[in-house]
Amino acid sequence: MPKVVILGAGAIGQLLYWQLQPLTPQLLGRRPTPPRISYQHLNGHIEHQAPRYLQLTQGIDADTDLLIVSVKAHQVTDALLPLLPELPSHCAILLLHNGMGPHLDVAAHTGTRPLLLGTTSQGALRQKLWFVRHTGHGITHIGQYTGVPLSQTIRHSLLRTLPDCHWQQDILTALWQKLAVNCAINPLTALHQCPNGALAAAEFQQQIIGIISELQQVAAAEGQHVKQNELLARINQVINLTANNQSSMLQDCRHHRQTEINAINGYVVVRAAAHGLTAPLNHDLVQRILALSPSSEQFLGH
Ligand code: PAF
């Protein structure tokens, strides 16, 4: 059985910890060890546990086979890079966050170890610091980005243990598709202070088409050919399936937390510039979200 450590005890980190119980994972975080953590299943049943928890200052176990990094995109490099010298050389790393970008920095430091990327549409909400509620079914896609091929044992353990989890040969395509969903839903719901379902109104559809047509050109320049009508259908499906939800960016803005705008629309703008393109609609959304965000947050593309 592979030894799995989850770095980051936010809503998704805690959800994965509970779902991966058959593998007896460990949580790794900044906070002191909590005496008890709790989990509410989709059916309402609540479980409690004294967690297997390691504080970052205690270091990481030398027999770790897989480190799942579930901190927010803007925290990935600061959280992960200092740990790399401590990780055994065979240990695989899985980055699982909204948005794109950190994989480019991280891959420059991970050498031959398997670097996996993933995306999940499972819903999780932290009721309290150490109480997470599973709020919705969702699909998880995982695939390998760089390094020597991942061991079959780890791959099968993940696919068997996580609900609706699939291996994706070309994980970047799945990430660009998810990025399109986030580029449309997150900033528009945050700016209009509305639940996801409000974006089904006709007035938003033209705007969404503009956002994804810029994204599609940038993705094509990166060798990812995603179709605009498929992206639009996928976005509208998520809008309908999550109609009553508040997007993560709306919640971040409401709580005056740093948003993930740099890893979402900001990533499109930065990659556009790398290919001599522009993405003015995405750029405008970045600026408008930053105007609502804590003053410390800046556009990383400048
Ligand atoms: O960030 C979010 O809120 C979610 O990824 C999504 C899919 C936009 C639904 O709210």
Side-chain angles (χ1 to χ4, degrees), residues 203-217:
E203 58 182 288
F204 290 114
Q205 291 292 303
Q206 266 323 102
Q207 217 174 338
I208 292 176
I209 291 172
I211 296 166
I212 56 176
S213 98
E214 289 181 2
L215 176 142
Q216 186 200 18
Q217 285 173 35

Side-chain angles (χ1 to χ4, degrees), residues 9-19 37-48 121-138 244-246 251:
I12 291 294
Q14 290 191 43
L15 176 72
L16 294 177
Y17 172 83
W18 285 98
Q19 294 182 329
I37 62 172
S38 308
Y39 174 53
Q40 185 168 22
H41 292 256
L42 278 176
N43 64 8
H45 173 70
I46 299 179
E47 274 188 68
H48 308 280
S121 59
Q122 292 205 82
L125 194 66
R126 223 161 25 155
Q127 304 284 91
K128 293 192 191 141
L129 197 51
W130 296 111
F131 178 16
V132 72
R133 182 158 69 90
H134 189 196
T135 54
H137 287 293
N244 297 323
N245 290 13
Q246 294 195 353
Q251 293 182 50

